[in-house]
Amino acid sequence: MGIGCQEAIIELQALMDPVEEPLNRTLQNVHQGFRPETLARFLKAREWNVAKAHKMLVECLHWRVQNNIDEILAKPIVPTELYRAVRDSQLIGMSGYSRDGLPVFAIGVGLSTLDKASVHYYVQSHIQINEYRDRIILPSASKKHGRPITTCIKVLDMTGLKLSALSQIKLMTIISTIDDLNYPEKTNTYYVVNVPYVFSACWKVVKPLLQERTRKKIQVLPGCGRDELLKIMDLESLPHFCRKEGSGSSRHSENENCYSLDHPFHQQLYNYIKQQSLLTEPSRPIKQGSFHVDLPEPAAEGTEIAKTLESELQKIDKGNELSKSVSGIKIDDD
């Protein structure tokens, strides 16, 4: 980190020092003792412009207070059958750690249907995983390795990606916007694997719209990505869909499938949330109902990407329909 970057961090720190309660309390939950690294993340997200980074961080703190984000890890999704339905349709899990100690999160982009619960349950679940990562997983990894570990690796599985993904773009944009505004620069690298044609076509038009900082983080790997990923993590940390060619996101045993509620990561997460609920409200039964969070308006960049994706998917759909109609025409010999 250069001298200019250190000066920017010091300047932003000076701007944040006067922050009072309740913003200061939620700021502590954000930085978890790694204040310079946290300030650096917000500065990176605003191209090291101190004024813009300060505005972004203060708005993030207000969002957290207004939506009670500090309490979200004490709000379990119940009953368990509903949470299982969320897990089966919003495919995400933690498969292990890289050799550098970074948590490895697997996301089944292609096979996530996001159709078993309301938008608010999916948003709640996503934020809970973010908060558990930032408050429990990353501090624990930092302690183990004796240095700040504040980012993770994400492996995106495109197996099963179809044109029907068009219906999920709105929810995915909402979740992406929440991450961009409130959890910036938490992902070190995105590895994209098991890529079908529909992704390749969309990637060509979306890639130019991404900021250079984001583009540099994304690596599209051949096949299931096994060989490349084994350079940075051991086999036991490899997501189940990367274990062998053609494996995809197909259901493995529940202990291997990190998407499953029965996987150790999700068991630990869900049990932690239920325990926190009992600690905060021991005399009350756990209430059913989603934890509502104000849904943000997508930024201009996110809106443009969403519109471009919709347009490209519609083009592919029309091309497929034309191909089917042509192949269905019977040509008679004279």
Side-chain angles (χ1 to χ4, degrees):
M1 197 177 289
I3 295 174
C5 296
Q6 292 288 0
E7 289 175 349
I9 291 172
I10 293 169
E11 192 176 336
L12 181 54
Q13 174 67 66
L15 290 173
M16 295 305 299
D17 280 341
V19 168
E20 297 179 352
E21 302 298 352
L23 298 187
N24 188 51
R25 190 181 311 117
T26 198
L27 176 58
Q28 291 176 27
N29 262 335
V30 172
H31 68 64
Q32 291 293 317
F34 301 109
R35 187 180 284 252
E37 290 78 12
T38 299
L39 299 179
R41 288 196 295 105
F42 281 85
L43 283 162
K44 283 180 188 175
R46 291 297 177 261
E47 307 298 336
W48 294 93
N49 181 305
V50 175
K52 289 181 179 179
H54 176 248
K55 180 176 182 290
M56 181 187 190
L57 179 50
V58 170
E59 287 176 351
C60 165
L61 299 181
H62 279 292
W63 171 80
R64 293 181 65 88
V65 170
Q66 290 162 7
N67 290 282
N68 296 312
I69 301 300
D70 288 345
E71 284 76 52
I72 201 169
L73 287 181
K75 304 293 181 183
I77 296 174
V78 292
T80 304
E81 291 73 21
L82 174 60
Y83 188 59
R84 187 177 292 278
V86 171
R87 290 278 56 82
D88 288 345
S89 53
Q90 184 184 38
L91 303 182
I92 181 172
M94 184 178 147
S95 61
Y97 295 85
S98 73
R99 293 195 185 97
D100 289 335
L102 275 63
V104 178
F105 283 87
I107 303 174
V109 178
L111 292 177
S112 289
T113 56
L114 304 174
D115 60 354
K116 306 297 183 188
S118 71
V119 168
H120 288 285
Y121 279 118
Y122 288 115
V123 170
Q124 176 182 350
S125 172
H126 180 81
I127 294 174
Q128 284 177 330
I129 290 174
N130 279 357
E131 292 291 314
Y132 189 72
R133 173 198 66 197
D134 295 351
R135 294 195 229 168
I136 306 297
I137 300 291
L138 290 172
S140 176
S142 300
K143 184 177 180 181
K144 178 180 177 181
H145 291 272
R147 59 182 171 81
I149 293 178
T150 57
T151 60
C152 66
I153 289 169
K154 290 183 180 176
V155 185
L156 311 183
D157 180 24
M158 296 296 163
T159 297
L161 187 67
K162 297 183 177 68
L163 296 174
S164 57
L166 189 63
S167 63
Q168 302 163 19
I169 287 177
K170 184 177 180 181
L171 175 53
M172 291 167 69
T173 303
I174 289 171
I175 287 174
S176 175
T177 303
I178 288 172
D179 283 353
D180 289 345
L181 296 178
N182 304 292
Y183 303 92
E185 300 296 317
K186 293 301 294 187
T187 303
N188 185 284
T189 311
Y190 297 90
Y191 294 100
V192 186
V193 302
N194 297 317
V195 173
Y197 166 75
V198 66
F199 170 83
S200 302
C202 291
W203 178 236
K204 286 179 184 177
V205 295
V206 169
K207 187 177 180 180
L209 302 178
L210 298 174
Q211 294 181 12
E212 183 182 0
R213 186 183 72 254
T214 303
R215 283 201 304 270
K216 286 181 177 179
K217 291 183 180 182
I218 300 171
Q219 295 188 31
V220 181
L221 302 181
C224 68
R226 174 189 167 105
D227 292 343
E228 290 300 314
L229 291 174
L230 283 177
K231 294 176 182 177
I232 62 165
M233 68 184 75
D234 295 332
L235 182 62
E236 55 266 26
S237 290
L238 204 64
H240 58 280
F241 51 80
C242 298
R243 296 293 175 94
K244 59 181 180 180
E245 290 293 341
S247 59
S249 288
S250 58
R251 298 293 186 255
H252 290 233
S253 74
E254 300 306 339
N255 280 339
E256 288 183 2
N257 179 2
C258 61
Y259 301 151
S260 170
L261 178 54
D262 298 313
H263 186 272
F265 167 73
H266 281 299
Q267 283 292 300
Q268 291 162 12
L269 168 62
Y270 197 46
N271 288 334
Y272 178 86
I273 294 172
K274 287 191 290 186
Q275 287 166 4
Q276 292 301 304
S277 175
L278 293 173
L279 288 172
T280 54
E281 296 181 321
S283 60
R284 296 185 183 181
I286 296 174
K287 289 196 300 184
Q288 188 171 350
S290 62
F291 183 96
H292 281 235
V293 172
D294 294 336
L295 304 180
E297 287 296 321
E301 182 190 33
T303 302
E304 185 179 3
I305 289 171
K307 286 180 178 177
T308 302
L309 269 176
E310 286 182 22
S311 174
E312 190 62 24
L313 287 167
Q314 286 167 352
K315 282 181 192 175
I316 296 170
D317 194 27
K318 286 178 182 176
N320 286 348
E321 287 178 5
L322 179 61
S323 176
K324 286 177 184 177
S325 64
V326 170
S327 63
I329 295 174
K330 183 180 179 182
I331 302 175
D332 295 323
D333 293 329
D334 289 334

